[in-house]
């Protein structure tokens, strides 16, 4: 049986799907290091199930997590240490935490790319600036789009990932189409979970905006950030031809 769901459906699979990804481990260490250097309080936009924020809270740093997905936050609340963290369900582009200020606000694992339009991006950046303490830092990462891939209209379905969840094998198939004018990836993830009653299939659709390097710099300056640094990876290497990501620090 196949049903179409929003991104909410992936909450139950999220930790199992990404538990072994090396890039994910690298970003957790990067943001944890920033948090230790900046001190608290710290807020994560798009905190999901707590993958990045729980290690920071375990350091004794005051943390706040914000996410649009009630299902993601429900998974977060079940984890050890979650009681130390203030969790809020809200949109990145319109949240208001009643005058709270943070030394570090970060958004891990390409969450900023779920803001499709420039208006949404600027609204989010305005909210970030309103919640940063004086001298505070905003950090986030996005993928570096490969020009040869972005030139394609789309890609046929492929088996992208196989993982185990609650004793069941789950296969994730991915289909990609691209809106090159809007710089949007339209992604269809088809999850096939092998259960005792047979395969259970669910389809999840969402989009991601891709960014070019100087577009990011101009966007941040337009939003009022005056000190912007871009790295090519979480090891703080410079941006180059083979750079897999844009890791952004802005004040």
């Amino acid at each position: 049986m196949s049903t179409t769901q929003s991104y909410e459906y992936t909450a139950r699979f999220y930790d199992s799907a990404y538990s072994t990804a090396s890039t994910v481990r690298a970003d957790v260490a990067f943001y944890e290091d920033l948090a230790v250097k900046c001190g608290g309080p710290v807020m994560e936009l798009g905190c999901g199930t707590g993958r990045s924020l729980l290690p920071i809270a375990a350091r004794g740093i005051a943390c706040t997590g914000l996410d649009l997905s009630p299902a993601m936050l429900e998974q977060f609340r079940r984890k050890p240490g979650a009681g130390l963290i203030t969790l809020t369900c809200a949109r990145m582009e319109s949240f208001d935490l009643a005058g709270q200020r943070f030394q570090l606000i970060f958004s891990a694992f390409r969450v900023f790319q779920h803001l499709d339009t420039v208006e949404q991006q600027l609204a989010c950046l305005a909210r970030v600036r309103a919640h940063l303490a004086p001298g505070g830092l905003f950090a986030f990462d996005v993928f570096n789009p490969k020009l040869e891939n972005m030139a394609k209209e789309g890609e046929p379905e492929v088996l992208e990932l196989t993982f185990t969840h609650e004793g069941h094998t789950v296969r994730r198939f991915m289909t990609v189409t691209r809106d090159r004018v809007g710089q949007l990836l339209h992604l269809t993830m088809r999850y096939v979970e092998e259960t005792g009653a047979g395969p259970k299939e669910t389809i999840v659709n969402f989009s991601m905006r891709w960014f070019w390097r100087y577009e990011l710099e101009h966007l941040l300056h337009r939003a009022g950030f005056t000190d912007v640094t871009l790295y090519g990876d979480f090891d703080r290497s410079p941006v180059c031809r083979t750079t897999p990501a844009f890791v952004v620090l802005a004040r």
Side-chain angles (χ1 to χ4, degrees), residues 7 14 18 23-32 34 42-56 66-67 92 104-114 138-143 208 234 245-248:
Y7 198 61
Y14 187 86
Y18 294 107
T23 300
V24 173
R25 291 197 300 270
D27 79 335
V28 169
F30 177 84
Y31 291 115
E32 183 178 348
L34 284 183
V42 170
M43 177 169 68
E44 182 181 8
L45 303 181
C47 62
T49 65
R51 181 184 62 87
S52 302
L53 203 54
L54 283 167
I56 295 172
L66 183 144
D67 202 283
M92 291 191 295
L104 171 67
I105 298 176
F106 74 97
S107 186
F109 203 28
R110 307 167 180 170
V111 165
F112 193 74
Q113 293 186 258
H114 290 289
F138 178 44
F140 67 98
D141 62 272
V142 299
F143 68 75
M208 295 182 74
F234 295 105
F246 296 134
V247 181
V248 184

Side-chain angles (χ1 to χ4, degrees), residues 188-202:
T188 297
M189 291 182 174
R190 185 167 65 90
Y191 288 86
V192 180
E193 181 179 8
E194 300 296 338
T195 71
K200 179 182 178 182
E201 180 178 299
T202 300

Side-chain angles (χ1 to χ4, degrees), residues 191-222:
Y191 288 86
V192 180
E193 181 179 8
E194 300 296 338
T195 71
K200 179 182 178 182
E201 180 178 299
T202 300
I203 297 172
V204 176
N205 296 291
F206 63 98
S207 61
M208 295 182 74
R209 171 72 181 271
W210 74 79
F211 296 93
W212 305 108
R213 174 185 179 175
Y214 295 111
E215 175 188 8
L216 277 175
E217 293 187 2
H218 283 290
L219 182 70
L220 287 158
H221 284 293
R222 181 179 173 185

Side-chain angles (χ1 to χ4, degrees), residues 15-147:
D15 292 322
S16 299
Y18 294 107
S19 62
T20 61
S22 60
T23 300
V24 173
R25 291 197 300 270
D27 79 335
V28 169
F30 177 84
Y31 291 115
E32 183 178 348
D33 181 64
L34 284 183
V36 170
K37 289 176 179 176
C38 291
V42 170
M43 177 169 68
E44 182 181 8
L45 303 181
C47 62
T49 65
R51 181 184 62 87
S52 302
L53 203 54
L54 283 167
I56 295 172
R59 294 278 200 140
I61 297 172
C63 291
T64 294
L66 183 144
D67 202 283
L68 177 62
S69 166
M72 287 284 192
L73 293 176
E74 179 60 29
Q75 293 292 329
F76 194 144
R77 291 188 179 98
R78 296 175 182 175
K79 295 183 177 180
L84 300 173
I85 301 170
T86 301
L87 297 177
T88 299
C89 187
R91 303 187 71 88
M92 291 191 295
E93 63 269 40
S94 58
F95 69 93
D96 186 349
L97 301 187
Q100 294 184 55
R101 298 291 182 269
F102 301 88
Q103 291 295 332
L104 171 67
I105 298 176
F106 74 97
S107 186
F109 203 28
R110 307 167 180 170
V111 165
F112 193 74
Q113 293 186 258
H114 290 289
L115 299 172
D116 290 351
T117 68
V118 173
E119 290 75 20
Q120 289 175 319
Q121 296 150 22
L122 289 173
C124 174
L125 294 174
R127 292 287 79 209
V128 168
R129 291 194 68 222
H131 287 79
L132 279 175
L137 177 68
F138 178 44
F140 67 98
D141 62 272
V142 299
F143 68 75
N144 179 13
K146 294 182 179 180
L147 187 59

Side-chain angles (χ1 to χ4, degrees), residues 46 62 175 231 242:
T175 306
Y231 296 109
T242 58

